[in-house]
Amino acid sequence: MAFRLTLVGKNYQMSESRNVRWGVIGLGWFGEVHADNLAEMPDIELTALCTRRPERLTDVADRLDVENRYTNYRDLLADPSVDVVSITTHIYDHRDIAIDALRSGKHVLLEKPMAPTVADCNHIIQAAEKGGGLFMVGHICRFDPRAALAKEAIEEGRIGKIISMHARRNLSRAIGRMVLDDISALMGDGIHDADLMLWFSQAKVSSVYAQEVHPGQNKYPDAGWSIARLDNGAVAVVECVWHLPENTPYAIDARLEVIGTEGALYINCGEAGLAIHDAAGVKMPDTMYWPRPFGRYCGVLQEELRYFANCVRAGQAPQRITPAESRATVAWMAAATESAQTGSVINF
Amino acid sequence: MAFRLTLVGKNYQMSESRNVRWGVIGLGWFGEVHADNLAEMPDIELTALCTRRPERLTDVADRLDVENRYTNYRDLLADPSVDVVSITTHIYDHRDIAIDALRSGKHVLLEKPMAPTVADCNHIIQAAEKGGGLFMVGHICRFDPRAALAKEAIEEGRIGKIISMHARRNLSRAIGRMVLDDISALMGDGIHDADLMLWFSQAKVSSVYAQEVHPGQNKYPDAGWSIARLDNGAVAVVECVWHLPENTPYAIDARLEVIGTEGALYINCGEAGLAIHDAAGVKMPDTMYWPRPFGRYCGVLQEELRYFANCVRAGQAPQRITPAESRATVAWMAAATESAQTGSVINF
Amino acid sequence: MAFRLTLVGKNYQMSESRNVRWGVIGLGWFGEVHADNLAEMPDIELTALCTRRPERLTDVADRLDVENRYTNYRDLLADPSVDVVSITTHIYDHRDIAIDALRSGKHVLLEKPMAPTVADCNHIIQAAEKGGGLFMVGHICRFDPRAALAKEAIEEGRIGKIISMHARRNLSRAIGRMVLDDISALMGDGIHDADLMLWFSQAKVSSVYAQEVHPGQNKYPDAGWSIARLDNGAVAVVECVWHLPENTPYAIDARLEVIGTEGALYINCGEAGLAIHDAAGVKMPDTMYWPRPFGRYCGVLQEELRYFANCVRAGQAPQRITPAESRATVAWMAAATESAQTGSVINF
Amino acid sequence: MAFRLTLVGKNYQMSESRNVRWGVIGLGWFGEVHADNLAEMPDIELTALCTRRPERLTDVADRLDVENRYTNYRDLLADPSVDVVSITTHIYDHRDIAIDALRSGKHVLLEKPMAPTVADCNHIIQAAEKGGGLFMVGHICRFDPRAALAKEAIEEGRIGKIISMHARRNLSRAIGRMVLDDISALMGDGIHDADLMLWFSQAKVSSVYAQEVHPGQNKYPDAGWSIARLDNGAVAVVECVWHLPENTPYAIDARLEVIGTEGALYINCGEAGLAIHDAAGVKMPDTMYWPRPFGRYCGVLQEELRYFANCVRAGQAPQRITPAESRATVAWMAAATESAQTGSVINF
């Protein structure tokens, strides 16, 4: 595909090279997944990495042969060899880093959730509106063909008007233990399904109620359920339990069902086409999001990264997911958290 | 099995015949299913039928060769050739007929839900305590091997302490249209899962919240979601949508997932082992509840009827489901209905 | 159901009691399952047990409170308190015991496969034709609602003319190790699917080819595949592997798919509606064949036993499965065994 | 990813541009899919198209904005602006075009099956060995993450030594009608699973038996089953039925199960994570091979094309699938066809 660089809309900073040059800020587990994928993708060059942990930085940068290494993200933002940054830090660092990155003129791909509060989201969005770069929150599920084809079927009217939706996104408690000091199950994963539901229905949240359960020893609750009434009359229910048995066969038990007046659709990401029964039990590995057969990544994360790279090359603001849509999911999950803590219904 | 009639507990009215003689009050669709099953079962004699509709009475009674026919249920209750009555009328008739039946000394198998309100349930339970017969509400799912084996696994501690439960019981809108003038989806079907959840968890409801959607033209809402907090800390969520597409492959899309601290279990009654793809589409017929291969019923309903017949023969009050447990499910679903109407959380 | 004893067809030996009195010859694992089920069924009386192992006899008979106990099956056959015998011995004992039982005038329910060879089947069938009792081979799958409803759909023409069938019936190697000294996977389990396929298609086998694999240490091969051409032009393929991992989640991975000119149907007995995930892994217990929730059997085996009891009471030869049909499945599997041993195609 | 062009092994023709310039010969349905995907991929330039049908050529080339258009494939092969050709013609044209393409020095990606006979395969392989370009047959399934992760699990020893394999690849008869004049189900689709099975087992075929059924009106049989004995003792069974009902929910009902001495694995491509129930019935669209959400392709075909492009850039012969492996699958399926026609077992 020969990109014809037609600069439309924003005045962005694109280097003369056709390769999009990318930096990653935050090298936790998922930051490394970003880096690994970027390093393997055509038309993209992974040029810079940043983490506060020097040893981690050396490990990852050596392995991926990245020269520009930073322990202070501001230094990476000042690096002219970077066009785009992935921000893959903890959610509580999202606001400040994203704002600084946007002010620096970089294109910013910020991991979800955008921020812990709607107020923080607003600050980020203001910075994005003023900044010279493009901005997208990484709502990866919108790039999942299962969800995207579902969205198309809904747009074509195949299931009529949406009445009821349920989403589940459950994980092993082994994963829960690693993550639940940083974020709750509902905020961490419910955000995905809140987004898909609002995307599918093109509706707004009218009211939110939630319950959380906290059987673990971590800071945030392991399990949460939120039920929202939408302004089109539909009910939308999100289930996140990060407390499946450690030997659960599910890499992730993620499902989403949408019932409309004329039809219904059923997304099942929990059973993704491969079950391995061995001496250790049953495992159903990820085959769609970032599988790595023969040491080479493929899948939905690359589709997301490719999409943003194409937006950058074309100088076009991302349409697949907008900052305002990202903020709406934070609004829902923040309200759900409040509801779970207070026991009351939150009206929008 | 040679029953040894050891009269324990209650002083009941058992005819000398070893056959349990049964009458059915209410010959709607499900009353007829009761009658048909009873007519086929060993050790049971279907001796009487009652419906207010004379033509319907003649049709069913002729077909099943039943001599004692009544259009007034009180006449059936006065019939000495009846040991047990199935009450399969509309829910709003349950209270009066059940009380009269219990006062008459008959053994009473009352279809679920026991009654529309807890107050009605209390009146029925009082009559049952004073009456000479045994009393059970027909919570058929407790006789489903999938649910019963799940209960055993939970009792054995295999999944630890329950954290989160979700149940779905969705039906074609074609069925919805036939039933939704008599009862809501949540009251009509949620009652099953409320019961299973309280049975599995041995917990009590602490609070209830619900949302209903009413896309159809019938009296009651087609779709309802209820989320309950239980007194053991678990969250229990019930989904009932009687608005699946008319050509839905599901005879019933009924599922129940239970996540505990040590394990999880997944019941799937929606996919029951047979899918038929023909010119009309995909159908997954009932193979478990009351399938009728070669014109002869088998399945879970017969297990329930057999269980109650055995209780009657043995003179032992049913243990599988008690009236107080039945009442607890009505309490939940009545609160859910109130919550859906008021938008507020109902605390118990 | 009041049985009206209209003696049609055969002159059978029915005791005056309405209870059908049953004896079991052979108390291996499945003989005990027969006995347990019979002991729990209404209208049936378990009156006699026989095994060559005196301790086993005492154990089972004591537990089930059966008075008439035999170590020589001929003594049981001489017992006038027995109307029906289940023969649940090893396949190599089937011929002689079945013939003696039929000559004694008992009604005989013989476990599948009828016998190891067609010649043996012929001898048994001759004895059945001369004997005074009814005779049925226990092809339990014909009483499985999933298979029976499939058969009805086929008879109704919903899938047109059958083109292709595949059946799988795979088991843990833990079970294999217990059984493979008595019978091969193909003869032991393939017989079920051979029967269903011939029943569904109403066709005859034209040619048979097979391959077996023998990775285990037992006498007979653990795994076998047989492909038959039927005289209606369809291909029918049977897969039996008794070498799944010991911790396989499947109680039995049994499936059967039938593709016709106008439709297709899919039977899945491997996933039977309940999955339990606990510390030991994933288990999907039997919920259909002889589940035993709360210590009480229900399911398809009881349907089979009930069917034969009803035939006995009514004095009517079983129609659901005839001896000639049973023999046809032995013919197929015996030919498959020969093909696997010789490497050549067996033409019928 | 900055490709470092280290010319190893073959002396290939790579233009100076970093973009790999691609031509497509054959614009049937799948040739167009190739063209569409190539046109959307980064680092690849679709520079030439060829079909004998001028109108079709204009349609596709106009839509994709391709300048170099040919109705004679030899002209395309003479075009210096083409580095790589996809050959997506009918199987009976594969041999001659592939040989000419290889002789012309182009890199060649040939659609599967390589050719109708082993002799033809040998001729192609000879041309490839002498030619200046790289050569790969497009066994797309090896790029499917489900299959590739399965292969890795097998290589890691997780399922031990393979005993038994079964693969199904069934399609609607609507597709059958379009394709069955060009190729049989077994040759057309069985080739995929034959390849996966030989790849998984690293074994060779010892003997082959097959049956075909021909209910349709097209030239080749709609349905075929082949059973192979492999030289490691395993049994491998391939099922291809291109006669599912026209309204089948399956885009493709493709499954593959592998049972080993220590474990088992189950690939299910038939249920790929999305089911849409609408007025027309149930549909489970492709979400993995070449889904096209929002008008943009993604999936396994692109992984295959990307892999070959990377081989071309790196000047390294493809390792994922070798010509000799492709030939082995033709050998199996050609033998299966012969067996089906003669009724005899083909020994290798």
Side-chain angles (χ1 to χ4, degrees):
Chain A
M1 176 168 55
F3 280 101
R4 292 173 190 78
L5 294 178
T6 45
L7 302 182
V8 297
K10 308 195 98 190
N11 173 26
Y12 67 94
Q13 314 276 332
M14 182 74 186
S15 75
E16 287 163 25
S17 154
R18 277 175 57 267
N19 272 348
V20 176
R21 299 168 310 169
W22 213 293
V24 176
I25 298 173
L27 289 178
W29 164 76
F30 203 55
E32 189 174 9
V33 174
H34 267 245
D36 281 348
N37 275 277
L38 292 164
E40 294 180 9
M41 292 177 68
D43 274 1
I44 288 174
E45 216 166 331
L46 179 66
T47 51
L49 294 173
C50 172
T51 172
R52 282 171 294 200
R53 294 173 291 160
E55 284 189 29
R56 173 73 170 167
L57 182 61
T58 302
D59 282 355
V60 178
D62 280 0
R63 187 170 58 73
L64 295 175
D65 200 12
V66 177
E67 283 182 26
N68 300 1
R69 306 169 182 201
Y70 304 98
T71 54
N72 184 324
Y73 74 85
R74 289 186 184 84
D75 296 335
L76 186 147
L77 295 178
D79 182 340
S81 77
V82 172
D83 303 316
V84 181
V85 290
S86 282
I87 301 175
T88 51
T89 64
H90 290 170
I91 180 177
Y92 289 100
D93 297 324
H94 279 189
R95 188 193 58 188
D96 293 349
I97 300 176
I99 289 172
D100 286 346
L102 289 161
R103 286 181 180 161
S104 78
K106 302 297 188 198
H107 306 290
V108 174
L109 177 64
L110 175 63
E111 260 310 311
K112 38 60 53 184
M114 191 196 287
T117 67
V118 171
D120 286 350
C121 293
N122 284 331
H123 288 127
I124 295 171
I125 290 175
Q126 283 173 348
E129 287 167 351
K130 290 180 191 161
L134 303 178
F135 175 58
M136 184 172 93
V137 181
H139 286 275
I140 186 173
C141 295
R142 292 205 184 192
F143 299 89
D144 181 337
R146 297 165 294 201
L149 294 171
K151 169 67 174 169
E152 287 195 317
I154 292 166
E155 299 249 305
E156 291 161 7
R158 291 172 65 182
I159 67 164
K161 185 171 172 294
I162 293 174
I163 298 167
S164 176
M165 293 184 277
H166 164 255
R168 169 183 300 156
R169 200 168 290 270
N170 294 348
L171 289 171
S172 163
R173 67 179 189 232
I175 297 176
R177 271 199 299 270
M178 292 189 300
V179 185
L180 284 163
D181 285 330
D182 296 322
I183 199 164
S184 69
L186 213 43
M187 182 59 86
D189 255 354
I191 206 91
H192 285 296
D193 298 301
D195 176 51
L196 290 176
M197 288 172 169
L198 296 179
W199 189 40
F200 287 170
S201 61
Q202 292 294 297
K204 290 185 166 44
V205 170
S206 298
S207 69
V208 168
Y209 177 76
Q211 285 282 350
E212 291 187 313
V213 190
H214 200 155
Q217 305 299 317
N218 294 75
K219 184 174 175 190
Y220 293 102
D222 312 55
W225 279 87
S226 173
I227 174 167
R229 186 77 179 202
L230 305 185
D231 67 356
N232 67 348
V235 179
V237 179
V238 171
E239 166 189 3
C240 294
V241 181
W242 288 357
H243 206 97
L244 295 181
E246 299 205 21
N247 61 352
T248 180
Y250 293 113
I252 187 166
D253 183 14
R255 292 155 202 257
L256 200 162
E257 305 92 26
V258 184
I259 302 169
T261 50
E262 308 302 325
L265 57 84
Y266 300 83
I267 299 173
N268 181 350
C269 305
E271 289 155 296
L274 176 61
I276 302 171
H277 298 198
D278 68 6
V282 177
K283 287 293 167 196
M284 300 192 289
D286 170 33
T287 64
M288 287 288 274
Y289 279 92
W290 44 85
R292 202 180 195 178
F294 303 111
R296 188 172 177 83
Y297 277 108
C298 59
V300 175
L301 179 59
Q302 289 204 1
E303 292 302 316
E304 177 195 304
L305 296 169
R306 181 169 85 153
Y307 177 85
F308 194 60
N310 288 347
C311 289
V312 165
R313 277 196 205 88
Q316 291 181 317
Q319 300 299 315
R320 186 71 66 89
I321 169 80
T322 67
E325 290 173 318
S326 300
R327 180 179 49 195
T329 68
V330 171
W332 179 352
M333 286 301 128
T337 305
E338 184 187 342
S339 172
Q341 287 166 355
T342 62
S344 56
V345 181
I346 311 297
N347 290 300
F348 273 61
Chain B
M1 176 169 53
F3 281 99
R4 290 173 192 79
L5 296 177
T6 46
L7 304 183
V8 295
K10 309 193 95 187
N11 175 26
Y12 67 96
Q13 314 275 330
M14 182 74 188
S15 76
E16 287 164 24
S17 157
R18 277 174 57 266
N19 274 348
V20 176
R21 300 167 311 169
W22 214 294
V24 176
I25 297 173
L27 288 179
W29 165 74
F30 203 55
E32 189 174 10
V33 173
H34 267 245
D36 281 348
N37 274 277
L38 291 164
E40 293 180 9
M41 292 177 68
D43 275 2
I44 288 174
E45 217 166 331
L46 179 66
T47 51
L49 294 173
C50 172
T51 173
R52 281 170 293 199
R53 294 173 290 160
E55 283 189 29
R56 172 75 170 166
L57 183 61
T58 301
D59 282 356
V60 178
D62 280 2
R63 186 171 57 74
L64 295 175
D65 199 13
V66 177
E67 284 184 24
N68 301 0
R69 306 167 181 203
Y70 305 98
T71 52
N72 184 323
Y73 75 84
R74 289 186 184 83
D75 296 334
L76 184 148
L77 295 178
D79 182 341
S81 79
V82 173
D83 303 316
V84 181
V85 290
S86 283
I87 300 175
T88 50
T89 63
H90 291 170
I91 181 177
Y92 288 100
D93 296 325
H94 279 189
R95 188 191 60 187
D96 292 350
I97 300 176
I99 289 173
D100 286 347
L102 289 161
R103 285 181 181 159
S104 79
K106 302 298 188 198
H107 306 290
V108 174
L109 178 64
L110 176 62
E111 259 311 311
K112 41 58 56 184
M114 192 197 285
T117 67
V118 172
D120 286 350
C121 293
N122 283 332
H123 287 127
I124 294 171
I125 290 176
Q126 283 173 350
E129 286 167 350
K130 289 182 191 160
L134 303 178
F135 175 58
M136 186 172 93
V137 180
H139 286 275
I140 187 173
C141 295
R142 292 206 183 192
F143 299 88
D144 181 336
R146 296 166 293 202
L149 294 170
K151 169 67 174 167
E152 287 195 319
I154 292 166
E155 299 248 306
E156 290 162 6
R158 291 173 66 182
I159 67 164
K161 185 171 172 295
I162 292 172
I163 297 168
S164 176
M165 293 183 277
H166 164 255
R168 168 184 301 156
R169 199 167 291 270
N170 293 349
L171 289 171
S172 163
R173 66 180 189 230
I175 297 177
R177 272 200 297 269
M178 292 190 299
V179 184
L180 283 164
D181 285 329
D182 296 323
I183 200 164
S184 69
L186 213 42
M187 183 58 89
D189 254 354
I191 206 91
H192 285 297
D193 298 301
D195 177 52
L196 290 176
M197 288 173 168
L198 297 178
W199 189 40
F200 287 171
S201 62
Q202 292 294 296
K204 289 184 167 47
V205 170
S206 296
S207 69
V208 168
Y209 177 77
Q211 285 281 352
E212 291 187 312
V213 191
H214 200 154
Q217 305 300 319
N218 294 75
K219 183 174 174 189
Y220 293 101
D222 312 56
W225 278 88
S226 172
I227 174 167
R229 186 78 178 201
L230 305 186
D231 67 356
N232 67 348
V235 179
V237 179
V238 171
E239 166 189 3
C240 295
V241 181
W242 287 358
H243 206 96
L244 295 180
E246 297 204 24
N247 61 352
T248 179
Y250 293 114
I252 186 165
D253 183 14
R255 292 157 202 255
L256 201 162
E257 306 91 26
V258 184
I259 302 170
T261 50
E262 309 301 324
L265 57 84
Y266 301 83
I267 299 173
N268 181 349
C269 306
E271 289 155 296
L274 176 60
I276 303 171
H277 298 199
D278 67 7
V282 177
K283 286 294 167 196
M284 300 193 287
D286 170 34
T287 65
M288 287 289 275
Y289 279 93
W290 44 85
R292 203 179 192 177
F294 304 111
R296 189 173 178 81
Y297 277 107
C298 59
V300 175
L301 178 60
Q302 289 204 1
E303 292 302 315
E304 177 195 304
L305 296 169
R306 180 170 86 155
Y307 177 85
F308 194 60
N310 288 347
C311 289
V312 166
R313 278 195 203 90
Q316 291 181 319
Q319 299 299 316
R320 186 70 67 90
I321 170 78
T322 67
E325 290 174 317
S326 299
R327 179 179 51 194
T329 67
V330 171
W332 180 351
M333 286 301 127
T337 305
E338 185 187 341
S339 172
Q341 288 166 353
T342 62
S344 57
V345 181
I346 312 295
N347 292 299
F348 274 61
Chain C
M1 178 170 51
F3 282 99
R4 290 174 191 78
L5 295 177
T6 46
L7 303 183
V8 295
K10 308 194 96 190
N11 173 28
Y12 67 95
Q13 314 276 332
M14 182 73 188
S15 76
E16 289 164 23
S17 157
R18 276 175 57 267
N19 275 348
V20 176
R21 299 168 312 170
W22 214 293
V24 176
I25 298 173
L27 289 178
W29 164 75
F30 204 55
E32 189 175 8
V33 173
H34 267 245
D36 282 347
N37 274 278
L38 292 164
E40 294 180 8
M41 291 177 69
D43 275 2
I44 288 174
E45 215 165 332
L46 179 67
T47 51
L49 295 173
C50 173
T51 172
R52 284 171 294 200
R53 295 173 290 159
E55 283 189 29
R56 173 74 171 167
L57 183 61
T58 301
D59 282 355
V60 178
D62 280 1
R63 185 169 59 74
L64 295 176
D65 200 14
V66 177
E67 283 183 24
N68 300 2
R69 306 167 182 203
Y70 305 97
T71 53
N72 183 324
Y73 75 84
R74 290 185 183 83
D75 295 335
L76 185 147
L77 295 178
D79 182 342
S81 78
V82 173
D83 304 314
V84 180
V85 291
S86 283
I87 300 175
T88 51
T89 64
H90 291 170
I91 181 177
Y92 289 99
D93 296 325
H94 278 188
R95 185 192 61 188
D96 292 350
I97 300 177
I99 290 172
D100 286 347
L102 288 161
R103 286 179 179 162
S104 78
K106 303 298 188 197
H107 306 289
V108 173
L109 178 64
L110 175 62
E111 260 310 311
K112 40 58 56 184
M114 191 197 285
T117 67
V118 172
D120 286 350
C121 292
N122 284 331
H123 288 128
I124 294 172
I125 290 175
Q126 285 174 347
E129 286 167 352
K130 290 180 190 162
L134 303 178
F135 175 58
M136 185 172 94
V137 181
H139 287 275
I140 186 172
C141 295
R142 292 206 184 191
F143 299 89
D144 181 336
R146 296 166 294 201
L149 294 170
K151 170 66 173 168
E152 287 195 318
I154 292 166
E155 300 248 305
E156 291 162 7
R158 291 173 66 182
I159 67 163
K161 186 171 170 295
I162 292 173
I163 298 168
S164 176
M165 294 183 276
H166 164 255
R168 169 184 300 155
R169 199 168 290 270
N170 293 350
L171 288 171
S172 163
R173 66 179 189 231
I175 297 176
R177 271 200 298 271
M178 292 190 300
V179 185
L180 283 163
D181 285 330
D182 296 324
I183 198 164
S184 69
L186 214 42
M187 183 57 89
D189 254 355
I191 206 91
H192 286 297
D193 297 302
D195 176 50
L196 290 176
M197 288 172 169
L198 297 179
W199 189 39
F200 287 171
S201 62
Q202 292 294 295
K204 289 185 168 44
V205 170
S206 298
S207 69
V208 168
Y209 177 76
Q211 284 281 353
E212 291 186 313
V213 191
H214 200 154
Q217 304 300 317
N218 294 73
K219 184 174 175 189
Y220 293 101
D222 312 56
W225 279 87
S226 173
I227 174 167
R229 186 78 180 202
L230 306 186
D231 67 356
N232 67 347
V235 179
V237 179
V238 171
E239 166 189 4
C240 295
V241 181
W242 288 357
H243 206 96
L244 296 180
E246 299 205 22
N247 61 352
T248 179
Y250 294 114
I252 186 165
D253 183 15
R255 292 155 202 257
L256 201 162
E257 305 91 26
V258 184
I259 301 170
T261 50
E262 309 301 325
L265 57 83
Y266 301 83
I267 298 173
N268 181 348
C269 306
E271 289 154 295
L274 177 60
I276 303 172
H277 298 198
D278 68 6
V282 177
K283 287 295 168 195
M284 300 193 288
D286 169 34
T287 65
M288 286 289 275
Y289 279 93
W290 44 83
R292 203 181 192 176
F294 304 111
R296 188 170 180 83
Y297 277 107
C298 59
V300 175
L301 179 60
Q302 289 204 1
E303 292 302 315
E304 177 195 305
L305 296 169
R306 181 169 85 154
Y307 177 85
F308 193 60
N310 288 348
C311 288
V312 165
R313 277 194 205 90
Q316 291 181 319
Q319 299 299 315
R320 185 71 66 90
I321 169 78
T322 67
E325 291 174 317
S326 301
R327 180 179 50 195
T329 68
V330 171
W332 179 352
M333 287 301 127
T337 304
E338 184 187 343
S339 172
Q341 287 165 355
T342 62
S344 56
V345 181
I346 311 296
N347 291 299
F348 275 61
Chain D
M1 176 168 50
F3 281 99
R4 291 172 191 77
L5 296 177
T6 45
L7 304 182
V8 296
K10 309 194 97 191
N11 174 26
Y12 66 95
Q13 314 275 333
M14 181 75 189
S15 76
E16 288 164 23
S17 157
R18 275 176 57 265
N19 273 348
V20 176
R21 300 168 310 167
W22 214 294
V24 176
I25 298 173
L27 289 178
W29 163 75
F30 203 54
E32 188 174 10
V33 174
H34 267 246
D36 282 347
N37 274 278
L38 292 164
E40 294 180 9
M41 291 178 68
D43 275 1
I44 288 174
E45 216 165 332
L46 180 66
T47 52
L49 295 174
C50 172
T51 172
R52 283 171 293 198
R53 295 172 290 158
E55 284 190 28
R56 172 75 171 166
L57 183 62
T58 301
D59 282 355
V60 178
D62 280 359
R63 185 168 59 72
L64 295 175
D65 199 13
V66 177
E67 284 182 26
N68 301 1
R69 305 167 182 204
Y70 305 97
T71 53
N72 183 324
Y73 75 85
R74 288 186 184 84
D75 295 334
L76 186 148
L77 295 179
D79 181 340
S81 78
V82 173
D83 304 314
V84 181
V85 291
S86 283
I87 301 174
T88 50
T89 63
H90 291 169
I91 181 176
Y92 288 99
D93 296 325
H94 279 191
R95 188 192 58 188
D96 293 348
I97 300 176
I99 289 172
D100 286 346
L102 288 161
R103 287 181 179 159
S104 79
K106 303 297 189 198
H107 306 289
V108 174
L109 177 64
L110 175 62
E111 259 310 311
K112 39 58 56 185
M114 192 196 286
T117 68
V118 172
D120 286 349
C121 294
N122 284 332
H123 287 126
I124 295 170
I125 290 176
Q126 283 173 349
E129 286 167 353
K130 290 181 189 161
L134 302 179
F135 175 58
M136 185 172 92
V137 181
H139 287 275
I140 187 173
C141 296
R142 291 205 185 192
F143 299 90
D144 181 335
R146 296 166 294 202
L149 294 170
K151 169 66 174 168
E152 287 196 318
I154 292 166
E155 299 249 306
E156 291 162 6
R158 290 172 66 180
I159 68 163
K161 187 172 170 295
I162 292 173
I163 298 167
S164 177
M165 293 184 277
H166 164 256
R168 168 184 301 155
R169 201 168 289 269
N170 294 349
L171 289 171
S172 163
R173 66 179 189 232
I175 297 177
R177 270 199 300 268
M178 292 190 299
V179 185
L180 284 163
D181 285 330
D182 296 322
I183 199 163
S184 69
L186 213 42
M187 183 58 88
D189 254 354
I191 206 91
H192 285 297
D193 297 301
D195 176 52
L196 290 176
M197 288 172 168
L198 297 179
W199 189 40
F200 287 170
S201 62
Q202 292 294 295
K204 290 184 167 44
V205 170
S206 298
S207 68
V208 168
Y209 177 77
Q211 285 282 350
E212 291 186 313
V213 190
H214 200 154
Q217 305 300 317
N218 294 74
K219 183 174 175 191
Y220 292 102
D222 313 54
W225 278 88
S226 172
I227 174 166
R229 186 78 178 201
L230 306 185
D231 67 355
N232 67 348
V235 179
V237 180
V238 172
E239 166 189 4
C240 295
V241 181
W242 288 356
H243 206 97
L244 296 181
E246 298 204 23
N247 60 353
T248 179
Y250 294 113
I252 186 166
D253 183 15
R255 293 156 201 256
L256 200 162
E257 306 91 27
V258 184
I259 301 170
T261 50
E262 309 302 325
L265 57 84
Y266 301 83
I267 299 173
N268 181 349
C269 305
E271 289 154 297
L274 176 60
I276 302 172
H277 298 198
D278 68 7
V282 177
K283 287 294 168 197
M284 299 193 289
D286 170 32
T287 65
M288 287 289 274
Y289 280 93
W290 44 83
R292 202 180 195 179
F294 303 111
R296 188 171 179 82
Y297 277 108
C298 58
V300 174
L301 179 60
Q302 290 205 358
E303 292 302 315
E304 178 195 305
L305 297 170
R306 181 168 84 153
Y307 177 85
F308 194 59
N310 288 347
C311 288
V312 166
R313 277 196 205 89
Q316 291 181 317
Q319 300 299 316
R320 186 69 68 87
I321 170 80
T322 67
E325 291 174 318
S326 300
R327 179 179 52 195
T329 67
V330 171
W332 179 351
M333 286 302 127
T337 304
E338 183 187 344
S339 173
Q341 287 166 354
T342 63
S344 56
V345 181
I346 311 296
N347 290 300
F348 274 61

